[in-house]
Amino acid sequence: MKKVFLFCIVAALGILYPIQAQNKLVVNADQGKEIISKHIYGHFSEHLGRCIYGGIWVGEDSPIPNTRGIRNDVVKALKDIQVPNLRWPGGCFADEYHWMDGIGPRSQRPKLFNTRWEGLRVEDNSFGTHEFLDLCEQLGCEPCICVNLASGTVEEMSNWVEYVTSDFDSPMANLRKQNGREKPWKVKFWGIGNESWGCGGDMTVEYYTNLYRHYGTFMYGRRSDEKNLYRIAVGPNGADYNWTESMMRNAAGRIQGLSLHYYTLPTNNWDNKGSATQFDEAEYFKTIVNTLVMEELVAKHSAIMDKYDPQKRVGLVTDEWGTWYNVEPGMESVSLYQQNSLRDAIVAGINLNIFNAHADRVKMTNIAQIINVLQAVILTDNEKMLLTPTYWAFYLYKVHQDATLLPISFSCNKYELNGRKIDAISVSASKDAAGKIHITLVNIDPNKEQTLETELQGVTVKSVTGQVLTSAKLTDHNTFDKPNTVVVKDFKGAKLSKGSLSIKLPAKSVVMLELE
């Protein structure tokens, strides 16, 4: 049997079948056992550029419709993609953030200098702990708070945990009540530091491991409910496998989640990352090649984790991922603001398929970032708001949240450019609690329609419906003047016949099928 790499056997879970035909998919609908955690579809917010201020928070006196200062249009849009968790306050900003600056009457909160991001120099702290947790309650999502390890203290961290989660008669719980919140919030996810190998302190793994053990120990004892505490340790930067090895060897028993950060750059050049909307096919191809590295990273870090944690108790948490381009021309004063094209939707679909495939180890991810920064799902400009192609990819993929991953086998054509080949199609499949089967597919080839013959084993399917995301050009994107250039539409390219399913995937498209 010809060896198939990367997405040619996505989510196979060790089950391979001798398929000879190209673009052939077998879905084993009666063999799934792993649950795709809804938290794989998480998001990330940071005090950076216009992510918080203008993107989420406009203040209670704003003419923009809001609920307690939080934009109503943004909340509705995010609820429509079922955001399961939101990470805050950073990012690099987290390791200079002192949470007590952001509580109490807003008029009395200090105005500080944001040293991290030039596009947000004055931090007035009007969006703090209460506002963030109010946002999460409005969204119906779980908060993930990243604590200050680099410039904070253990006492500061443990006081924050007490303030947020404790129902005891204690100083921090009583302070929370004085500030208007009687009952504690339920916050399960806590990140202990951010990028400690870089902006979070430039630490060695040995030094960080000791700090993690120290901080992680004092995270207990201040909560009313400690059983649900999920501590996320700083994990590797990309392919730093030594970091994972050391953390798992020396602290695995104290970790619930280990983070992984990896960004997709078209050029691999941090000084000139490439344009978000002005690119040719060669740069598109390089972007896809670079984003496919995520499969290798997840697989290799998971293998190291398996050595020390064969029961897979520790989750791999890819809490920063996405595309990173040059700042949009004319927007240099707004940190990391970039547009979002059909290319980004394809990148999102590929990565989400990778995470689904590794659902036994990957338990949470957070795309960077939620609004107006990097690969955002929403862009705003004062009262205006638009949904990006990446938003629509998440809209299609929400069907996989907490569904059962279905084992598949898959062989596919290649997309070739300048003598290099990659798989033309990416795919994953799941079954939800109601028994509906969902298949998500990405046709990576920008030039050719792909016909996919699909065999459905262990199930009788009577109907198929679908939705598709595509456009005339890879560079197509939504603007405030034309917000519906790239949007989801009904898909009519799937046909059932005698238990088999034939699918015609348009070039450069993301497709979601629902089978009943």
Side-chain angles (χ1 to χ4, degrees):
M1 176 181 172
K2 182 179 179 181
K3 187 174 182 181
V4 185
F5 292 92
L6 293 176
F7 282 92
C8 283
I9 309 176
V10 175
L13 299 182
I15 303 172
L16 306 181
Y17 298 87
I19 299 175
Q20 301 301 323
Q22 290 184 318
N23 287 355
K24 176 70 176 180
L25 172 66
V26 176
V27 178
N28 298 281
D30 57 347
Q31 295 184 19
K33 61 180 182 180
E34 299 292 342
I35 300 298
I36 301 172
S37 171
K38 67 180 180 180
H39 292 297
I40 283 175
Y41 292 83
H43 294 260
F44 172 34
S45 58
E46 184 171 6
H47 291 240
L48 193 172
R50 294 203 315 236
C51 181
I52 300 295
Y53 300 110
I56 293 170
W57 177 259
V58 291
E60 293 166 325
D61 297 330
S62 173
I64 299 172
N66 67 85
T67 299
R68 294 181 296 278
I70 296 167
R71 294 181 66 133
N72 293 340
D73 53 357
V74 165
V75 168
K76 181 185 182 305
L78 295 177
K79 288 179 72 173
D80 286 345
I81 58 173
Q82 299 173 10
V83 170
N85 70 76
L86 183 60
R87 181 175 181 243
W88 173 85
C92 294
F93 180 80
D95 276 311
E96 290 190 3
Y97 181 67
H98 299 283
W99 67 272
M100 292 194 74
D101 292 336
I103 62 171
R106 294 191 195 99
S107 61
Q108 298 177 21
R109 298 180 191 180
K111 292 181 172 60
L112 303 173
F113 188 72
N114 186 328
T115 65
R116 288 297 184 184
W117 302 111
E118 65 276 6
L120 180 64
R121 281 308 193 193
V122 177
E123 169 60 64
D124 69 4
N125 284 299
S126 56
F127 189 90
T129 298
H130 287 252
E131 291 77 16
F132 170 67
L133 294 172
D134 184 11
L135 169 64
C136 291
E137 288 184 332
Q138 290 188 39
L139 293 175
C141 78
E142 292 199 49
C144 178
I145 295 178
C146 186
V147 305
N148 183 344
L149 182 82
S151 67
T153 66
V154 168
E155 181 183 22
E156 181 182 23
M157 180 271 302
S158 58
N159 281 346
W160 200 3
V161 173
E162 178 185 320
Y163 184 91
V164 168
T165 66
S166 176
D167 201 21
F168 303 137
D169 182 11
S170 65
M172 290 298 106
N174 292 334
L175 179 59
R176 181 194 69 238
K177 294 173 185 178
Q178 292 173 23
N179 287 330
R181 175 74 182 197
E182 183 68 24
K183 294 183 178 180
W185 291 279
K186 293 185 181 297
V187 179
K188 176 179 180 178
F189 300 107
W190 294 83
I192 302 182
N194 170 79
E195 294 190 358
S196 299
W197 34 261
C199 68
D202 197 19
M203 302 175 189
T204 64
V205 65
E206 293 80 11
Y207 183 66
Y208 171 75
T209 301
N210 287 335
L211 281 180
Y212 172 84
R213 291 164 67 104
H214 185 191
Y215 274 65
T217 298
F218 282 90
M219 190 166 278
Y220 286 99
R222 300 295 188 101
R223 298 168 55 99
S224 300
D225 176 16
E226 293 185 344
K227 293 186 293 185
N228 293 324
L229 181 63
Y230 193 100
R231 297 168 300 180
I232 301 170
V234 171
N237 176 19
D240 186 352
Y241 300 112
N242 176 68
W243 188 284
T244 299
E245 184 88 34
S246 182
M247 283 296 300
M248 292 300 295
R249 181 174 61 247
N250 296 310
R254 300 168 180 262
I255 297 171
Q256 285 74 50
L258 183 69
S259 75
L260 166 66
H261 290 185
Y262 175 72
Y263 287 96
T264 297
L265 278 65
T267 63
N268 284 331
N269 180 356
W270 285 96
D271 294 326
N272 184 17
K273 295 176 282 292
S275 168
T277 57
Q278 304 297 317
F279 57 89
D280 58 15
E281 186 177 352
E283 191 158 303
Y284 166 75
F285 190 92
K286 288 193 294 183
T287 304
I288 301 304
V289 168
N290 290 342
T291 213
L292 286 170
V293 171
M294 183 67 81
E295 164 67 24
E296 177 183 341
L297 295 175
V298 170
K300 288 186 175 180
H301 286 296
S302 295
I304 295 169
M305 296 172 76
D306 287 347
K307 288 168 50 180
Y308 301 96
D309 177 35
Q311 295 81 22
K312 299 184 186 295
R313 185 189 58 81
V314 181
L316 185 60
V317 178
T318 310
D319 54 11
E320 290 190 29
W321 68 273
T323 52
W324 196 324
Y325 309 125
N326 296 334
V327 173
E328 203 67 18
M331 301 291 288
E332 288 79 8
S333 64
V334 182
S335 293
L336 305 190
Y337 181 91
Q338 63 189 43
Q339 251 295 354
N340 195 292
S341 73
L342 179 60
R343 171 178 63 171
D344 295 282
I346 290 171
V347 166
I350 290 171
N351 280 275
L352 292 171
N353 282 341
I354 292 173
F355 300 142
N356 289 348
H358 292 274
D360 60 333
R361 180 61 78 179
V362 178
K363 299 304 179 183
M364 178 188 287
T365 85
N366 303 83
I367 190 169
Q369 293 186 12
I370 195 165
I371 302 176
N372 291 331
V373 173
L374 298 178
Q375 193 175 346
V377 296
I378 292 174
L379 301 178
T380 65
D381 182 13
N382 294 317
E383 77 285 355
K384 299 177 183 178
M385 183 194 77
L386 67 81
L387 309 177
T388 70
T390 296
Y391 175 94
W392 291 113
F394 273 82
Y395 179 87
L396 293 176
Y397 275 67
K398 65 183 178 181
V399 295
H400 290 306
Q401 292 189 21
D402 284 342
T404 300
L405 180 68
L406 296 180
I408 66 174
S409 58
F410 183 49
S411 63
C412 63
N413 291 324
K414 299 294 183 181
Y415 165 38
E416 181 176 0
L417 188 69
N418 297 329
R420 187 166 184 180
K421 300 179 181 179
I422 56 176
D423 296 331
I425 302 173
S426 163
V427 59
S428 56
S430 69
K431 181 188 291 186
D432 68 14
K436 295 178 182 179
I437 294 172
H438 295 100
I439 304 173
T440 49
L441 305 118
V442 182
N443 183 1
I444 298 167
D445 193 324
N447 305 309
K448 297 178 182 178
E449 175 187 88
Q450 298 288 333
T451 299
L452 178 63
E453 300 301 326
T454 304
E455 181 182 345
L456 306 169
Q457 295 189 349
V459 67
T460 300
V461 174
K462 297 180 180 179
S463 67
V464 58
T465 56
Q467 294 177 296
V468 61
L469 183 67
T470 190
S471 194
K473 297 181 293 183
L474 282 167
T475 54
D476 282 351
H477 55 281
N478 299 330
T479 67
F480 294 106
D481 293 329
K482 296 181 178 179
N484 297 314
T485 300
V486 188
V487 295
V488 165
K489 298 178 181 179
D490 288 339
F491 179 65
K492 304 297 184 182
K495 304 296 181 184
L496 275 172
S497 178
K498 298 179 181 181
S500 294
L501 176 65
S502 181
I503 309 166
K504 290 186 177 180
L505 299 173
K508 55 188 181 307
S509 66
V510 182
V511 170
M512 185 279 294
L513 300 178
E514 181 172 283
L515 294 85
E516 297 186 77

